[in-house]
Amino acid sequence: MTDKEDPKKGKEKRGTSKEVCGYPLSIFFIVVNEFCERFSYYGMRAVLVLYFKYFLRWDDDLATSIYHTFVALCYLTPILGAIVADSWLGKFKTIIYLSIVYAIGQVAMAVSAIHDITDTDRDGTPDNMTFHVVLSMVGLFLIALGTGGIKPCVAAFGGDQFSDHQDRQRRTFFSVFYLCINGGSLLSTIITPILRAQDCGIHSQQKCYSLAFGVPAALMLVALVVFIVGSGMYYKAEPQGNIMLDVCKCIGFAIKNRYRHRSNQYPKRQHWMDWAEEKYDKLLIAQIKMVLKVLFLYIPLPMFWTLFDQKGSRWTLQATTMNGHFGSLVIQPDQMQTVNPILILTLVPIMDSVIYPLINKCGLNFTPLKRMTVGMLLAALAFVCAALVQIEIDKTLPTFPSTSQSQLKLLNMGSETVTVKMPGNDPLNLAAAQASNEYFTFEAGQIDISIGHPEVRNTISLAKGQRQTLLIPSNITEEWLMTDDITSKPQEGNNAIRFVNGMNTTVNVSIPAANFGLIEPFSYSNYSLIKNGKVTFTLWSGSQSCEYSTDFGFGSSYTFFIPSTLVFGPNCQESITAAEDIKPNSVHMALQIPQYFFITAGEVMFSVTGLEFSYSQAPSNMKAVLQAGWLFTVAIGNFIVLIVAELAKLPKQWAEYVLFASLLVAVCFIFSIMAYFYTYIDPAEIEAQFKKNVNEDDEDNKHKLQKTEVEMNKRDSIKCHDEDDKDKQTKM
Ligand SMILES: CC(C)C[C@H](NC(=O)[C@@H](N)CC(C)C)C(=O)O
């Protein structure tokens, strides 16, 4: 047995590794490795859905399902990595091997995104999509295996570098580790979307997904190299056999044995695991008890992640209904998510150097489990904030028709004012080229309308549950046109825009991002979705053109009217009128900052503490397994989001936020009771005690053995003497 393999010598080894300011130098390589790995993971994830949608040409549903399946897989594979590390390869080798798998996966993704590989006709689109789909799916599978597999090992391996007396340093390590996770992810989520937006290619220039995946692949290779460079400095605890198999067998035996001795005639044992004592080592039984105690405590924890992971879904959707103008800076709805890592980078040092020491000074014993409880309450508070913001947003949303109602707007395409009479409304004067300010709501399916002077009457049919616009022609005796308008806010903060052509010639309207096509006289275009910001439309009629510029906010809808009186040329802008069908979002995105603040403060108290707690309470041979158990709570949390959102189906979004907050408070209450009964242990001390007892027993046994041997020898020598005497006697 080498020094490194001997668990008893492990502590000495850690104590003698090179130290800087009381910290083992080896952890520098581990935190840099984590930074690069998280850069790689989050960078790739940031552009994944867009890759599915625009490169592989999948629809939204398929893209979202595959994305979530991939994320869930990344939190299920830690179990696999942990078992391999603790039972077979050890953490060091597992990290190396799985990092190689991970890097291959990232390279496969980057290659799968090179459109030129199969673009035989050189038109800019891949001609063999199966190749790209298969390669990217293989890549994602390898990445999930790699990132999930190494995740529990890296954290536990970092923890292993500290000696038992370095509790404080180890706690700081887990905080720095968390900072690196968030530093890496923050940088990559900013950088990779920029890389994706570049054009690249050999035969034709396309959006550069290969570069957006290539840089994370390079960072994963850097992570691997950095980790290998530190190799000589690590303390590498060797695996102690197939521990997971032993654990399963031992638990199985305890259950069977307990069942066999279920009758009252057998005395009860302190713990049901004690029923394994007949066959298994007391140390193994004690270690299993430690793990089970912590795993039991984990049962309520997935609820925290259920709320936490809605940042990327529900909260981002909420942001799409908000106004993202921060002065001259425009924040896109999905960019709001970067507030989380930014706040982590500021809150972790503040908590560690100010808040926790202050609480300590006040004489309060802020134990890890208490911190985690407070973290859960903060997450619930974040959801209360989200509900309040939602209530504010709901106030600004348009009232769309119910399924039994119809809504109608009017647009006067003529060059004179007209008076419109509709049932249940006062007569309305509509100026030339103007639309009514609002939609009128009707319960009946058909209404009588009279327009102009002398009046022209008409009965028009309205579509139930729909919004429509009545286009009043300049000659009201001609056919009246009805358009179908949108009945929900445009998705992702976009603006839904269309044009109505009141001219008697065909008009073509275009902008670089969209083409409204040819609009026939007295007709209208389809809606096009346009991002926020300044946009210049170019209108063409024959060889004449007109430029119309306007600034869009988020989530609005407009109908632009081209009047018959439009004169093409430099001053045409004033003639075009805009009817605001849906107002732009007015509630500011900054209102989401409190909810981000509370969820992140909750994360620091819950997740950073939980990471360290999972390490410190795990027996030496199951550190990675318990880290994987901790990550498993994240996977379950993600599944709960899907289940609760599906089952609850609440009509109001704010009510769903309140439901989630209440569920977490209830779960937090249960957790605090469980935490109250939990007694903190020092696994190293317990293990040392067991080993000492075994050694003492061994010593006793040795003594007994020696005594027996001496006695046996004595007896033998007496026997020999006797036989010698006998011999002598016979010889004589
Ligand atoms: C489940 C978490 C322990 C995962 C952790 N995530 C974070 O630290 C987030 N604050 C990052 C952010 C970019 C979503 C991780 O290890 O990635």
Side-chain angles (χ1 to χ4, degrees), residues 34 38 41-42 45 75 151 177-178 181-182 185-186 189 305 308-309 311 337 340-341 344 600 603 607 611 630-631 634:
E34 184 67 8
R38 288 288 94 182
Y41 174 73
Y42 280 107
R45 232 180 76 165
Y75 286 106
K151 195 144 181 60
F177 188 76
Y178 217 82
I181 291 176
N182 286 274
S185 64
L186 176 63
T189 38
W305 299 115
F308 180 79
D309 279 323
K311 287 190 306 3
Q337 286 180 62
N340 168 259
I344 287 275
T600 312
E603 183 189 353
S607 186
L611 195 68
W630 168 251
L631 292 169
V634 184

Short mmCIF file of all heavy atoms in Angstrom, two decimals, residues 34 38 41-42 45 75 151 177-178 181-182 185-186 189 305 308-309 311 337 340-341 344 600 603 607 611 630-631 634, ligand 1:
data_model
loop_
_atom_site.label_atom_id
_atom_site.label_comp_id
_atom_site.label_asym_id
_atom_site.label_seq_id
_atom_site.Cartn_x
_atom_site.Cartn_y
_atom_site.Cartn_z
N GLU A 34 -12.82 25.14 -12.19
CA GLU A 34 -14.26 25.33 -12.07
C GLU A 34 -14.72 26.55 -12.88
O GLU A 34 -15.75 26.52 -13.55
CB GLU A 34 -14.64 25.49 -10.59
CG GLU A 34 -16.13 25.61 -10.32
CD GLU A 34 -16.93 24.34 -10.63
OE1 GLU A 34 -16.31 23.30 -10.90
OE2 GLU A 34 -18.16 24.40 -10.61
N ARG A 38 -17.38 26.13 -15.89
CA ARG A 38 -18.68 26.80 -15.85
C ARG A 38 -18.83 27.77 -17.02
O ARG A 38 -19.91 27.96 -17.55
CB ARG A 38 -18.87 27.54 -14.52
CG ARG A 38 -19.10 26.64 -13.33
CD ARG A 38 -20.45 25.98 -13.32
NE ARG A 38 -20.46 24.66 -13.92
CZ ARG A 38 -21.56 23.91 -14.05
NH1 ARG A 38 -22.72 24.33 -13.62
NH2 ARG A 38 -21.51 22.74 -14.61
N TYR A 41 -19.80 25.48 -19.81
CA TYR A 41 -21.16 24.96 -19.71
C TYR A 41 -22.21 26.04 -20.00
O TYR A 41 -23.08 25.88 -20.85
CB TYR A 41 -21.36 24.35 -18.32
CG TYR A 41 -22.78 23.92 -18.06
CD1 TYR A 41 -23.30 22.78 -18.67
CD2 TYR A 41 -23.61 24.64 -17.20
CE1 TYR A 41 -24.60 22.38 -18.44
CE2 TYR A 41 -24.91 24.24 -16.96
CZ TYR A 41 -25.40 23.12 -17.58
OH TYR A 41 -26.69 22.73 -17.35
N TYR A 42 -22.11 27.15 -19.25
CA TYR A 42 -23.15 28.18 -19.39
C TYR A 42 -23.05 28.90 -20.74
O TYR A 42 -24.06 29.34 -21.29
CB TYR A 42 -23.07 29.19 -18.24
CG TYR A 42 -23.73 28.66 -16.99
CD1 TYR A 42 -22.98 28.26 -15.89
CD2 TYR A 42 -25.11 28.55 -16.90
CE1 TYR A 42 -23.58 27.77 -14.75
CE2 TYR A 42 -25.72 28.06 -15.76
CZ TYR A 42 -24.95 27.67 -14.69
OH TYR A 42 -25.56 27.17 -13.57
N ARG A 45 -24.79 26.70 -23.14
CA ARG A 45 -26.24 26.68 -22.85
C ARG A 45 -26.93 27.96 -23.31
O ARG A 45 -28.09 27.93 -23.72
CB ARG A 45 -26.41 26.52 -21.33
CG ARG A 45 -27.32 25.40 -20.95
CD ARG A 45 -27.46 25.27 -19.46
NE ARG A 45 -28.30 26.29 -18.88
CZ ARG A 45 -28.80 26.21 -17.65
NH1 ARG A 45 -28.52 25.17 -16.89
NH2 ARG A 45 -29.57 27.14 -17.15
N TYR A 75 -28.13 17.21 -14.24
CA TYR A 75 -28.21 17.08 -12.78
C TYR A 75 -28.51 15.66 -12.32
O TYR A 75 -28.59 15.40 -11.13
CB TYR A 75 -29.25 18.07 -12.22
CG TYR A 75 -28.71 19.48 -12.26
CD1 TYR A 75 -29.16 20.39 -13.18
CD2 TYR A 75 -27.67 19.86 -11.41
CE1 TYR A 75 -28.61 21.67 -13.26
CE2 TYR A 75 -27.11 21.12 -11.48
CZ TYR A 75 -27.59 22.02 -12.40
OH TYR A 75 -27.04 23.27 -12.47
N LYS A 151 -19.15 17.23 -11.66
CA LYS A 151 -19.61 18.27 -10.73
C LYS A 151 -19.48 17.88 -9.25
O LYS A 151 -18.90 18.63 -8.47
CB LYS A 151 -21.05 18.67 -11.08
CG LYS A 151 -21.45 19.95 -10.42
CD LYS A 151 -22.35 20.80 -11.28
CE LYS A 151 -22.69 22.08 -10.57
NZ LYS A 151 -21.55 22.91 -10.23
N PHE A 177 -15.29 29.01 -4.51
CA PHE A 177 -15.70 28.05 -5.54
C PHE A 177 -17.00 28.56 -6.19
O PHE A 177 -17.14 28.57 -7.41
CB PHE A 177 -15.94 26.71 -4.83
CG PHE A 177 -16.19 25.55 -5.75
CD1 PHE A 177 -15.14 24.96 -6.44
CD2 PHE A 177 -17.46 25.03 -5.89
CE1 PHE A 177 -15.37 23.87 -7.27
CE2 PHE A 177 -17.69 23.95 -6.72
CZ PHE A 177 -16.65 23.36 -7.41
N TYR A 178 -17.92 29.01 -5.36
CA TYR A 178 -19.21 29.51 -5.84
C TYR A 178 -19.02 30.80 -6.64
O TYR A 178 -19.70 31.03 -7.63
CB TYR A 178 -20.17 29.74 -4.67
CG TYR A 178 -21.59 29.37 -5.02
CD1 TYR A 178 -22.02 28.04 -4.96
CD2 TYR A 178 -22.50 30.33 -5.44
CE1 TYR A 178 -23.30 27.69 -5.31
CE2 TYR A 178 -23.80 29.99 -5.79
CZ TYR A 178 -24.20 28.67 -5.72
OH TYR A 178 -25.48 28.32 -6.07
N ILE A 181 -17.92 29.81 -10.06
CA ILE A 181 -19.04 29.30 -10.87
C ILE A 181 -19.74 30.49 -11.53
O ILE A 181 -20.00 30.52 -12.72
CB ILE A 181 -20.08 28.57 -9.96
CG1 ILE A 181 -19.49 27.27 -9.42
CG2 ILE A 181 -21.38 28.33 -10.72
CD1 ILE A 181 -20.41 26.53 -8.45
N ASN A 182 -20.00 31.50 -10.72
CA ASN A 182 -20.79 32.62 -11.20
C ASN A 182 -19.99 33.59 -12.05
O ASN A 182 -20.53 34.19 -12.98
CB ASN A 182 -21.49 33.32 -10.03
CG ASN A 182 -22.63 32.47 -9.52
OD1 ASN A 182 -23.73 32.56 -10.03
ND2 ASN A 182 -22.36 31.59 -8.55
N SER A 185 -19.80 31.80 -15.44
CA SER A 185 -21.08 31.78 -16.15
C SER A 185 -21.46 33.19 -16.60
O SER A 185 -21.98 33.37 -17.70
CB SER A 185 -22.17 31.18 -15.28
OG SER A 185 -22.37 31.98 -14.15
N LEU A 186 -21.16 34.19 -15.79
CA LEU A 186 -21.51 35.57 -16.15
C LEU A 186 -20.77 35.98 -17.44
O LEU A 186 -21.37 36.46 -18.39
CB LEU A 186 -21.17 36.52 -15.01
CG LEU A 186 -21.38 38.00 -15.30
CD1 LEU A 186 -22.85 38.28 -15.57
CD2 LEU A 186 -20.91 38.87 -14.15
N THR A 189 -22.06 34.03 -20.54
CA THR A 189 -23.40 34.36 -21.06
C THR A 189 -23.40 35.73 -21.72
O THR A 189 -24.30 36.06 -22.48
CB THR A 189 -24.49 34.29 -19.96
OG1 THR A 189 -23.95 34.80 -18.75
CG2 THR A 189 -25.00 32.91 -19.72
N TRP A 305 -35.20 24.73 -5.21
CA TRP A 305 -34.74 24.79 -6.61
C TRP A 305 -35.92 25.00 -7.55
O TRP A 305 -35.77 25.55 -8.64
CB TRP A 305 -33.98 23.51 -6.97
CG TRP A 305 -32.77 23.32 -6.12
CD1 TRP A 305 -32.55 22.31 -5.22
CD2 TRP A 305 -31.61 24.16 -6.06
NE1 TRP A 305 -31.34 22.47 -4.61
CE2 TRP A 305 -30.74 23.61 -5.11
CE3 TRP A 305 -31.24 25.32 -6.72
CZ2 TRP A 305 -29.52 24.17 -4.80
CZ3 TRP A 305 -30.02 25.89 -6.42
CH2 TRP A 305 -29.17 25.32 -5.47
N PHE A 308 -36.16 28.58 -7.53
CA PHE A 308 -34.92 29.17 -8.05
C PHE A 308 -34.85 29.08 -9.58
O PHE A 308 -34.48 30.03 -10.26
CB PHE A 308 -33.73 28.46 -7.40
CG PHE A 308 -32.40 28.97 -7.84
CD1 PHE A 308 -31.89 30.14 -7.30
CD2 PHE A 308 -31.65 28.31 -8.79
CE1 PHE A 308 -30.66 30.63 -7.70
CE2 PHE A 308 -30.43 28.79 -9.21
CZ PHE A 308 -29.93 29.95 -8.65
N ASP A 309 -35.19 27.91 -10.11
CA ASP A 309 -35.01 27.70 -11.54
C ASP A 309 -36.07 28.38 -12.40
O ASP A 309 -35.99 28.33 -13.63
CB ASP A 309 -34.91 26.20 -11.85
CG ASP A 309 -33.51 25.71 -11.57
OD1 ASP A 309 -32.56 26.46 -11.84
OD2 ASP A 309 -33.36 24.59 -11.05
N LYS A 311 -36.32 31.46 -12.57
CA LYS A 311 -35.68 32.68 -13.06
C LYS A 311 -35.58 32.63 -14.59
O LYS A 311 -35.86 33.59 -15.26
CB LYS A 311 -34.24 32.78 -12.56
CG LYS A 311 -34.07 33.12 -11.12
CD LYS A 311 -32.66 33.43 -10.77
CE LYS A 311 -31.54 32.52 -11.06
NZ LYS A 311 -31.33 31.35 -11.65
N GLN A 337 -31.45 37.86 -16.53
CA GLN A 337 -30.95 36.72 -15.73
C GLN A 337 -29.52 36.91 -15.26
O GLN A 337 -29.10 36.28 -14.29
CB GLN A 337 -31.00 35.46 -16.58
CG GLN A 337 -32.39 34.93 -16.78
CD GLN A 337 -32.35 33.68 -17.62
OE1 GLN A 337 -31.77 32.70 -17.23
NE2 GLN A 337 -32.97 33.72 -18.78
N ASN A 340 -28.48 37.69 -11.55
CA ASN A 340 -28.19 36.67 -10.53
C ASN A 340 -26.69 36.47 -10.30
O ASN A 340 -26.20 36.68 -9.18
CB ASN A 340 -28.93 35.37 -10.86
CG ASN A 340 -28.47 34.19 -10.03
OD1 ASN A 340 -27.69 33.36 -10.48
ND2 ASN A 340 -28.92 34.14 -8.80
N PRO A 341 -25.91 36.11 -11.35
CA PRO A 341 -24.47 35.96 -11.08
C PRO A 341 -23.80 37.26 -10.63
O PRO A 341 -22.87 37.23 -9.82
CB PRO A 341 -23.89 35.47 -12.40
CG PRO A 341 -24.95 35.60 -13.41
CD PRO A 341 -26.26 35.67 -12.71
N ILE A 344 -24.45 37.51 -7.07
CA ILE A 344 -23.67 36.50 -6.34
C ILE A 344 -22.27 37.03 -6.08
O ILE A 344 -21.74 36.94 -4.97
CB ILE A 344 -23.58 35.18 -7.16
CG1 ILE A 344 -24.91 34.45 -7.17
CG2 ILE A 344 -22.46 34.28 -6.65
CD1 ILE A 344 -25.17 33.56 -6.00
N THR A 600 -31.28 35.70 -4.90
CA THR A 600 -29.83 35.49 -4.88
C THR A 600 -29.31 35.46 -3.44
O THR A 600 -28.44 34.62 -3.12
CB THR A 600 -29.11 36.58 -5.70
OG1 THR A 600 -29.77 36.71 -6.95
CG2 THR A 600 -27.67 36.24 -5.93
N GLU A 603 -30.07 32.19 -2.37
CA GLU A 603 -29.15 31.20 -2.96
C GLU A 603 -27.83 31.16 -2.18
O GLU A 603 -27.30 30.08 -1.91
CB GLU A 603 -28.89 31.58 -4.43
CG GLU A 603 -28.00 30.57 -5.16
CD GLU A 603 -27.57 31.07 -6.54
OE1 GLU A 603 -28.06 32.11 -6.99
OE2 GLU A 603 -26.72 30.39 -7.15
N SER A 607 -27.56 27.68 -1.00
CA SER A 607 -26.76 26.82 -1.87
C SER A 607 -25.29 26.76 -1.46
O SER A 607 -24.71 25.67 -1.41
CB SER A 607 -26.89 27.34 -3.31
OG SER A 607 -26.26 26.48 -4.18
N LEU A 611 -23.72 23.31 -0.04
CA LEU A 611 -22.57 22.68 -0.70
C LEU A 611 -21.53 22.26 0.34
O LEU A 611 -21.02 21.14 0.34
CB LEU A 611 -21.97 23.72 -1.66
CG LEU A 611 -20.99 23.28 -2.71
CD1 LEU A 611 -21.70 22.43 -3.74
CD2 LEU A 611 -20.38 24.50 -3.41
N TRP A 630 -26.93 16.05 -3.18
CA TRP A 630 -27.27 17.47 -3.12
C TRP A 630 -27.71 17.97 -4.50
O TRP A 630 -28.72 18.64 -4.66
CB TRP A 630 -26.04 18.24 -2.61
CG TRP A 630 -26.09 19.72 -2.74
CD1 TRP A 630 -25.37 20.48 -3.59
CD2 TRP A 630 -26.91 20.62 -1.98
NE1 TRP A 630 -25.68 21.80 -3.43
CE2 TRP A 630 -26.62 21.91 -2.45
CE3 TRP A 630 -27.86 20.46 -0.98
CZ2 TRP A 630 -27.24 23.04 -1.94
CZ3 TRP A 630 -28.48 21.60 -0.47
CH2 TRP A 630 -28.17 22.86 -0.94
N LEU A 631 -26.95 17.58 -5.54
CA LEU A 631 -27.30 18.03 -6.90
C LEU A 631 -28.59 17.36 -7.40
O LEU A 631 -29.30 17.91 -8.24
CB LEU A 631 -26.14 17.71 -7.85
CG LEU A 631 -24.88 18.53 -7.59
CD1 LEU A 631 -23.71 17.99 -8.38
CD2 LEU A 631 -25.10 20.01 -7.92
N VAL A 634 -31.56 19.35 -7.03
CA VAL A 634 -31.76 20.35 -8.09
C VAL A 634 -32.58 19.74 -9.23
O VAL A 634 -33.53 20.36 -9.75
CB VAL A 634 -30.41 20.87 -8.65
CG1 VAL A 634 -30.64 21.97 -9.67
CG2 VAL A 634 -29.50 21.34 -7.54
C1 LIG B 1 -27.62 24.29 -8.73
C2 LIG B 1 -26.54 25.26 -8.48
C3 LIG B 1 -25.69 24.83 -7.36
C4 LIG B 1 -25.86 25.45 -9.73
C5 LIG B 1 -24.83 26.54 -9.75
N1 LIG B 1 -25.51 27.76 -10.19
C6 LIG B 1 -25.22 28.98 -9.79
O1 LIG B 1 -24.34 29.21 -9.02
C7 LIG B 1 -26.05 30.11 -10.42
N2 LIG B 1 -26.09 31.23 -9.53
C8 LIG B 1 -25.43 30.45 -11.75
C9 LIG B 1 -26.28 31.25 -12.64
C10 LIG B 1 -25.54 31.62 -13.88
C11 LIG B 1 -27.56 30.56 -12.96
C12 LIG B 1 -23.80 25.98 -10.67
O2 LIG B 1 -22.95 25.21 -10.20
O3 LIG B 1 -23.86 26.21 -11.86
#
